[in-house]
């Protein structure tokens, strides 16, 4: 340590613009006393919760999802993005569940994230009823504990980071049809 002044680098002044400006940040630590309110900490993409409760989490409180009937819909339109990343802390208690995405129930256009029967994260891209790209993480998440995951679509490659370990695969052309939903696949 010395007596020199520490100067923050451009873009590192807070959670909303580190290392780049976030489109949305959902902290999911409470609804602020407003039923079904899911505030966007960084912007104006407030979400709407259905049957969400809150309990002790990794950082303060956390949203609790039932796996089917509780979810959060957001007004984020992924059709406007060529590249994107989605990061989240998850505490899975079962596998073989969808937990986030933009895929609609009928046309199956968009992307979604799930945990397979081997506790690995799956990052699917679909264009109609055909799976255009399917990436499975090389390492498994741990059930009944907190895991940090990130799904990235960057240029021609998709990446999944599970607790810091990365897996990648070439991506494909997809059509995004629904706004982003988490807690279950967008239906």
């Amino acid at each position: 340590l010395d007596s020199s002044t520490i100067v923050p680098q451009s873009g590192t002044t807070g959670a909303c613009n580190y290392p780049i400006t976030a489109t949305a940040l959902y902290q999911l630590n409470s609804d602020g006393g407003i039923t079904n309110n899911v505030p966007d900490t960084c912007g104006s993409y407030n979400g709407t919760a259905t049957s969400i409760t809150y309990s002790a989490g990794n950082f303060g409180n956390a949203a609790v999802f039932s796996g089917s009937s509780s979810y959060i819909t957001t007004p984020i339109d992924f059709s406007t993005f060529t590249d994107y990343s989605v990061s989240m802390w998850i505490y899975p208690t079962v596998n073989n569940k969808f937990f986030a995405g933009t895929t609609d129930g009928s046309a199956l256009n968009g992307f979604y994230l799930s945990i397979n029967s081997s506790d690995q994260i799956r990052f699917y891209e679909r264009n109609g009823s055909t799976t255009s790209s399917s990436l499975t993480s090389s390492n498994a998440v741990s059930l009944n504990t907190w895991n940090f995951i990130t799904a990235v679509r960057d240029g021609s490659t998709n990446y999944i980071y599970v607790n810091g370990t990365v897996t990648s695969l070439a991506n494909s052309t997809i059509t995004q049809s629904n706004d982003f939903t988490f807690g279950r696949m967008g239906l």
Side-chain angles (χ1 to χ4, degrees):
L1 295 176
D2 63 29
S3 61
S4 61
T5 304
I6 297 173
V7 178
Q9 298 299 307
S10 175
T12 61
T13 58
C16 294
N17 61 355
Y18 177 80
I20 60 172
T21 301
T23 297
L25 172 63
Y26 303 100
Q27 293 180 312
L28 303 182
N29 54 6
S30 82
D31 65 1
I34 303 170
T35 303
N36 299 329
N37 179 44
V38 182
D40 172 9
T41 304
C42 294
S44 59
Y45 291 103
N46 294 335
T48 303
T50 300
S51 302
I52 300 296
T53 59
Y54 293 90
S55 184
N58 201 30
F59 303 101
N61 285 331
V64 178
F65 300 89
S66 69
S68 59
S69 61
S70 59
Y71 56 95
I72 295 172
T73 54
T74 73
I76 300 174
D77 179 4
F78 271 73
S79 69
T80 63
F81 303 121
T82 303
D83 298 332
Y84 55 82
S85 64
V86 175
S87 299
M88 61 185 73
W89 284 96
I90 61 171
Y91 189 100
T93 57
V94 296
N95 55 25
N96 281 333
K97 293 287 183 180
F98 299 105
F99 61 88
T102 64
T103 307
D104 61 24
S106 57
L108 298 174
N109 292 315
F111 81 92
Y112 58 94
L113 300 168
S114 68
I115 301 173
N116 70 13
S117 60
S118 299
D119 301 333
Q120 296 164 298
I121 301 297
R122 301 287 309 264
F123 180 7
Y124 290 95
E125 292 184 318
R126 294 184 69 102
N127 208 7
S129 60
T130 304
T131 300
S132 303
S133 175
S134 175
L135 174 60
T136 302
S137 63
S138 59
N139 60 323
V141 295
S142 298
L143 297 181
N144 301 305
T145 191
W146 288 101
N147 298 267
F148 188 69
I149 65 155
T150 302
V152 178
R153 179 182 175 86
D154 183 17
S156 61
T157 307
N158 287 346
Y159 301 90
I160 298 176
Y161 294 84
V162 175
N163 298 319
T165 300
V166 66
T167 308
S168 62
L169 179 74
N171 64 29
S172 56
T173 302
I174 61 171
T175 302
Q176 303 287 353
S177 61
N178 276 6
D179 293 339
F180 185 69
T181 300
F182 50 98
R184 69 174 188 180
M185 181 174 69
L187 296 174

